[in-house]
């Protein structure tokens, strides 16, 4: 009888604690940006307590329009923010997707954004104490999607979870039936300096190789669909370091879109700050590399 009771108890336990199997796709990649950013238009996220969304402008150079990102920040300390503020920002980012949850009154303005992300750390800086004219430094881990030997470039689509691109149980966004692609697509190139050109090692990675890259975002490529505003398709990165991490199992993508290089994007309304307001320092002579 005791054995029957134990047997029944064990059967109940097994029934209650049987593991559930979920269909989850894991991506061995990430995208984190570190930059001096100008934050404005702070607004609350509906139903998310102290979470705020900011419009963040990030400098890319005098000849390239600034990046515009919608960054979510959890204001745990109930910090007060000026209408326009300068900050050092560390954030997990992905390319903007239509219908992202960024608390816009006019959803048509989404096309003006390049990035969407979650702030990891926000460091305020005095407006007169530092220049915002620094291109952003970024770290990316992921698999090489495409290599262009003629242009000497390679591309990565880094899958990065961002809360504003969270989908519902059906895999679609809360306001759209189209699933989000929470990725940061980049095209990387080695600078034409002695450090890279005189290297005896083969630095160009092979397709489907898993690598870690750090570097500077220098611009963007856009794609234009007839009847709609141009949107960012891929960001260009000047490589600062590269680490080869192995060769994972990669699911082949269905295709890719190659947008033309451009230095022009539509004007972005509703922003008070413009980088043309910043006085340019006198140029210094560059120290040539040996």
């Amino acid at each position: 009888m005791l054995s029957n009771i134990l047997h029944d108890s064990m059967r109940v336990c097994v029934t209650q604690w049987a593991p559930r199997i979920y269909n989850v796709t894991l991506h061995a990649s990430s995208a984190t940006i570190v930059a001096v950013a100008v934050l404005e238009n702070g607004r609350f996220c509906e139903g998310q307590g102290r979470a705020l969304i900011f419009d963040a402008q990030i400098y890319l150079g005098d000849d390239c329009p600034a990046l515009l990102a919608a960054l979510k920040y959890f204001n745990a300390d109930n910090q007060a923010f000026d209408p326009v503020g300068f900050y050092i920002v560390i954030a997990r980012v992905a390319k903007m997707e239509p219908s992202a949850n960024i608390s816009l009154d006019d959803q048509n303005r989404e096309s003006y954004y390049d990035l969407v992300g979650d702030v990891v750390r926000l460091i305020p800086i005095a407006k007169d104490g530092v220049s915002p004219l620094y291109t952003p430094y970024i770290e990316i881990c992921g698999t090489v999607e495409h290599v262009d030997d003629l242009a000497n470039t390679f591309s990565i689509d880094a899958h990065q979870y961002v809360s504003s691109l969270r989908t519902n149980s059906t895999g679609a966004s809360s306001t759209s039936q189209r699933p989000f692609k929470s990725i940061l697509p980049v095209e990387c190139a080695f600078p034409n300096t002695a450090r890279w050109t005189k290297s005896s090692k083969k630095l160009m990675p092979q397709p489907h190789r898993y690598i870690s890259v750090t570097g500077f975002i220098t611009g963007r490529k856009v794609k234009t669909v007839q009847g709609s505003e141009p949107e960012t398709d891929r960001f260009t990165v000047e490589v600062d370091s590269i680490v080869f991490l192995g060769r994972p199992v990669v699911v082949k993508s269905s295709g890719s879109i190659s947008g033309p290089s451009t230095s022009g994007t539509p004007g972005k309304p509703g922003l008070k700050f413009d980088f043309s307001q910043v006085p340019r320092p006198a140029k210094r002579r560059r120290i040539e590399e040996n």
Side-chain angles (χ1 to χ4, degrees), residues 30 42 57 65 70 82 89 95 102 145 159 166 169 181 186-187 191 198 221 224 242 246 250 254 267 269 276 287:
S30 65
Q57 295 188 76
D82 293 330
V89 174
K95 188 169 76 72
I102 57 174
E145 298 289 333
H159 293 261
R166 183 171 51 212
S169 58
K181 291 171 61 180
V186 297
E187 180 183 275
K198 294 182 179 180
K221 290 188 172 182
T224 304
I242 181 170
V250 180
S254 59
S276 63
I287 300 175

Side-chain angles (χ1 to χ4, degrees), residues 36-38 56-69 112-115 132-136 217-220 232 235 263-268 271 273-276 280:
V36 175
V38 182
Q57 295 188 76
I58 300 174
Y59 179 75
L60 291 184
D62 290 344
D63 298 327
C64 189
L67 285 180
L68 180 59
Y112 296 113
Y113 291 84
D114 301 296
L115 296 173
L133 304 182
Y134 291 91
T135 54
I217 300 180
T218 57
R220 60 169 74 75
T232 300
F235 302 93
S263 59
T265 57
K268 298 169 181 175
L271 300 174
F273 178 83
D274 191 281
F275 283 96
S276 63
R280 267 51 181 173

Side-chain angles (χ1 to χ4, degrees), residues 60 64 67 135-136 138 140 153-155 184-189 215-222 232-239 259-262:
L60 291 184
C64 189
L67 285 180
T135 54
I138 191 167
I140 302 164
T153 61
F154 60 92
S155 300
L184 186 77
V186 297
E187 180 183 275
C188 303
F216 299 91
I217 300 180
T218 57
R220 60 169 74 75
K221 290 188 172 182
V222 302
T232 300
D233 181 57
R234 193 168 290 275
F235 302 93
T236 55
V237 173
E238 181 182 90
V239 175
S261 297
T262 178

Side-chain angles (χ1 to χ4, degrees), residues 155-167:
S155 300
I156 300 173
D157 291 342
H159 293 261
Q160 172 63 63
Y161 171 78
V162 172
S163 60
S164 294
L165 298 181
R166 183 171 51 212
T167 57

Side-chain angles (χ1 to χ4, degrees), residues 241-255:
S241 70
I242 181 170
V243 179
F244 294 85
L245 301 176
R247 190 181 296 274
V249 177
V250 180
V251 179
K252 188 175 182 181
S253 61
S254 59

